[in-house]
Amino acid sequence: MTNETMRIFFPLKVISYLLNDYDWDDENPVELSSEESVAYEDAVLAAIAHENRRVFENDRGLAEYIENEALNKKVYSLNPSVEVVDGKLWGVMTARLTEALSGEETAELLEFVVGQNSDGFGEVLEQRPIKTPDSIIHVSFWNNDKNYSLKTEQELKKSSPVPGYNGPVMGGI
């Protein structure tokens, strides 16, 4: 097995229900920006770890569910997580590969990830409230926003500001 890794990033939708005087205010949800969501990274990571232990029987994660036999052999594991990049909380799927993927196989893997984000693992995660000290949040790996898209790590780096630019610059990935 090679040590090749492919990381696929996507925006998250995080909805917060704040604590009111007596209970959680489920009538006034607030959609958090990706910058505001950074404060909940640890809580989301803990929820994902809990869900991974509950759902996956081995270290292959979502790769177990890839139906295309050739792609399934090349993608040893596919694991969901979140990560802060450029001051924003992103969803990320990390694929460990046994060999490099062709362009067609990469496109198929991206399509598989969208399916898992919208109807698979992402939907399950979205339905599980995550308690924080001041709120309950729901995290979705998918949304129907016209700006929703997947980006490989290389594409995400290309879309980051150029060094010397006054905005934030991604590093450490």
Side-chain angles (χ1 to χ4, degrees), residues 37-39 48 50 69-70 80 110 114 119-120 171:
S37 299
V38 168
I48 290 170
H50 174 76
E69 191 174 319
L110 294 175
V114 168
D119 295 326

Side-chain angles (χ1 to χ4, degrees), residues 27-93:
E27 293 183 20
N28 296 301
V30 175
E31 185 170 348
L32 302 176
S33 71
S34 55
E35 293 86 358
E36 294 169 318
S37 299
V38 168
Y40 300 103
E41 178 186 21
D42 290 341
V44 176
L45 285 170
I48 290 170
H50 174 76
E51 199 60 31
N52 287 348
R53 284 189 304 273
R54 192 182 74 73
V55 173
F56 302 134
E57 295 180 14
N58 58 46
D59 64 346
R60 293 201 66 215
L62 293 168
E64 290 183 57
Y65 305 113
I66 296 173
E67 292 179 1
N68 177 307
E69 191 174 319
L71 184 61
N72 190 298
K73 286 180 182 178
K74 288 185 176 185
V75 180
Y76 175 76
S77 66
L78 183 64
N79 293 295
S81 190
V82 296
E83 185 174 316
V84 176
V85 177
D86 244 357
K88 299 177 180 181
L89 190 64
W90 288 83
V92 61
M93 290 280 185

Side-chain angles (χ1 to χ4, degrees), residues 134-149:
D134 61 347
S135 65
I136 289 180
I137 60 172
H138 287 265
V139 177
S140 180
F141 276 18
W142 184 84
N143 66 66
N144 58 1
D145 184 318
K146 65 181 178 174
N147 295 322
Y148 181 85
S149 66

Side-chain angles (χ1 to χ4, degrees), residues 96-167:
R96 287 186 19 222
L97 307 174
T98 59
E99 60 183 281
L101 303 180
S102 69
E104 185 177 298
E105 290 167 331
T106 298
E108 187 171 340
L109 179 60
L110 294 175
E111 187 176 313
F112 177 78
V113 169
V114 168
Q116 283 298 318
N117 286 356
S118 63
D119 295 326
F121 181 88
E123 183 178 39
V124 170
L125 182 66
E126 180 179 357
Q127 294 172 358
R128 304 243 192 278
I130 301 170
K131 292 181 182 179
T132 71
D134 61 347
S135 65
I136 289 180
I137 60 172
H138 287 265
V139 177
S140 180
F141 276 18
W142 184 84
N143 66 66
N144 58 1
D145 184 318
K146 65 181 178 174
N147 295 322
Y148 181 85
S149 66
L150 303 181
K151 294 182 180 193
T152 63
E153 186 170 8
Q154 293 76 17
E155 292 168 331
L156 188 65
K157 285 181 180 181
K158 286 180 187 175
S159 67
S160 291
V162 177
Y165 172 74
N166 290 337

Side-chain angles (χ1 to χ4, degrees), residues 12-41:
L12 299 171
K13 183 175 184 176
V14 179
I15 304 294
S16 175
Y17 299 88
L18 299 175
L19 180 62
N20 62 26
D21 293 336
Y22 304 104
D23 201 1
W24 304 107
D25 186 0
D26 59 357
E27 293 183 20
N28 296 301
V30 175
E31 185 170 348
L32 302 176
S33 71
S34 55
E35 293 86 358
E36 294 169 318
S37 299
V38 168
Y40 300 103
E41 178 186 21

